[in-house]
């Protein structure tokens, strides 16, 4: 099994565990807790999905020259 498949399976298991926990809390009447954690659940799902999608566009390879830091005497 490749690393990507293992990571995808782990991510899916994590998302399903969080979803199951959320459903259990909602069933027990903890709607306020669910409402507070909904953005975190959404971000978790988004990150897992982004990690499992293949990259379709290659990097441009364009490098930007570093900007020097200001000197100590600069405002």
């Amino acid at each position: 099994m490749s690393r990507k498949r293992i990571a995808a399976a782990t991510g899916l298991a994590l998302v399903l565990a969080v979803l199951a926990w959320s459903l259990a809390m909602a069933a027990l009447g903890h709607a306020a807790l669910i409402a507070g954690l909904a953005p975190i659940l959404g971000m978790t799902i988004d990150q897992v999905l982004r990690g499992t999608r293949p990259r379709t566009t290659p990097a441009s390879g364009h490098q930007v020259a570093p900007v020097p830091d200001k000197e100590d005497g600069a405002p």
Side-chain angles (χ1 to χ4, degrees), residues 1-12 51-52:
M1 198 180 239
S2 70
R3 290 182 101 188
K4 270 194 168 181
R5 284 196 174 191
I6 292 172
T10 303
L12 182 61
T52 58

Side-chain angles (χ1 to χ4, degrees), residues 8-73:
T10 303
L12 182 61
L14 175 66
V15 169
L16 291 177
V18 171
L19 182 62
W21 177 83
S22 298
L23 290 174
M25 289 294 110
L28 293 173
H30 296 283
L33 183 64
I34 300 299
L37 294 177
I40 296 170
L41 179 61
M43 292 288 288
T44 302
I45 292 170
D46 183 54
Q47 290 297 316
V48 169
L49 291 177
R50 284 181 188 232
T52 58
R53 287 188 205 140
R55 294 189 180 188
T56 57
T57 57
S60 67
H62 178 72
Q63 294 183 351
V64 179
V67 178
D69 293 334
K70 292 184 178 180
E71 296 295 326
D72 292 335

